Amino acid sequence: MKQVVVVNEALKLPRGKLAAQVAHAAVGAFVAASTEVQQAWLNSGMPKIVLKVDHEADLIRLYDLALEQNIPARLIKDAGRTVVPEGTLTCLGLGPASDNELDKLTGELKLLR
Amino acid sequence: MKQVVVVNEALKLPRGKLAAQVAHAAVGAFVAASTEVQQAWLNSGMPKIVLKVDHEADLIRLYDLALEQNIPARLIKDAGRTVVPEGTLTCLGLGPASDNELDKLTGELKLLR
């Protein structure tokens, strides 16, 4: 069981902005999960990894695949008051879900360093 | 109503690591809030800001103050497998709580850029 957040690294967001967007995605996907899944993940120590893609289109593709497979998912769109144009997709929260389900979707992506 | 995450900027964590720690803090503090507060914050669009301190001791001080005031709070300790020594406090999630309550605690802190 884990949670994955995929970042749109084309934006090269500054650290504070990036962290806030990833946190939005994490909470957003968390509340989309069932109570049982939430609890199982919390009990296992909330494992989470942050991965990256280079194109906004990849976030949309992964989001659609996640919904097809009933994986909790939340796309985050920036409100655009500061760093990036309004409506830009900054990241995608996926899970909590099983490692296996998430690895099928995101196993090819690189870690965000 | 908002959520604040305070980062231990003495660590200068790399972007991906920082984002994961802030997300832990955000989810951790969120689950410490009452259902009513959670829902009110979700309905208002999950406002969140990321602030910084320069010393781990400041995270502990803010955490203790938050608990005294019944503000949902979660200190995040790094598991230490990669970037920082095991047990280092990386950040503190506060709220959701009222802007007023959180500003009293963190109003003097600087934004993490």
Side-chain angles (χ1 to χ4, degrees):
Chain A
M1 187 79 66
K2 68 182 170 187
Q3 192 170 47
V4 174
V5 180
V6 185
V7 168
N8 176 5
E9 187 62 350
L11 301 174
K12 301 274 180 207
L13 292 176
R15 297 164 76 241
K17 177 84 181 178
L18 173 75
Q21 298 288 311
V22 169
H24 280 316
V27 178
F30 175 81
V31 299
S34 70
T35 309
E36 292 73 20
V37 166
Q38 288 178 346
Q39 205 53 55
W41 178 70
L42 290 170
N43 292 344
S44 68
M46 311 197 294
K48 178 185 291 89
I49 54 171
V50 182
L51 306 175
K52 63 178 175 179
V53 294
D54 292 323
H55 304 283
E56 186 177 282
D58 292 327
L59 292 187
I60 297 168
R61 183 180 55 79
L62 290 167
Y63 178 69
D64 289 343
L65 287 170
L67 292 189
E68 276 174 24
Q69 295 165 44
N70 292 313
I71 294 173
R74 175 76 173 257
L75 266 180
I76 301 300
K77 195 179 288 190
D78 192 71
R81 281 183 292 266
T82 50
V83 182
V84 298
E86 187 178 346
T88 305
L89 296 175
T90 57
C91 56
L92 168 66
L94 296 171
S98 72
D99 289 9
N100 188 34
E101 282 176 294
L102 288 172
D103 289 347
K104 276 185 203 159
L105 269 188
T106 63
E108 303 290 303
L109 302 182
K110 290 192 179 151
L111 271 178
L112 179 69
R113 301 278 177 191
Chain B
M1 188 78 67
K2 67 182 170 186
Q3 192 170 48
V4 173
V5 180
V6 185
V7 168
N8 176 4
E9 187 63 351
L11 300 174
K12 301 272 180 209
L13 292 175
R15 297 164 77 239
K17 178 84 182 178
L18 173 75
Q21 298 288 311
V22 169
H24 281 315
V27 178
F30 176 81
V31 300
S34 71
T35 310
E36 292 72 20
V37 166
Q38 288 178 346
Q39 204 54 55
W41 178 70
L42 291 171
N43 291 345
S44 67
M46 309 198 294
K48 180 187 288 86
I49 54 170
V50 182
L51 305 175
K52 63 178 174 179
V53 294
D54 292 323
H55 305 283
E56 185 178 282
D58 292 327
L59 292 187
I60 297 168
R61 183 179 55 79
L62 290 167
Y63 178 69
D64 289 342
L65 288 170
L67 292 189
E68 277 173 23
Q69 295 166 42
N70 293 313
I71 294 173
R74 176 74 173 258
L75 266 180
I76 302 299
K77 195 179 287 190
D78 193 71
R81 282 183 290 267
T82 50
V83 181
V84 297
E86 187 176 347
T88 304
L89 296 175
T90 58
C91 56
L92 168 65
L94 296 170
S98 73
D99 288 10
N100 189 35
E101 283 177 295
L102 289 172
D103 289 347
K104 276 185 203 158
L105 270 188
T106 64
E108 303 292 302
L109 303 182
K110 290 190 178 153
L111 270 178
L112 179 69
R113 300 276 176 193

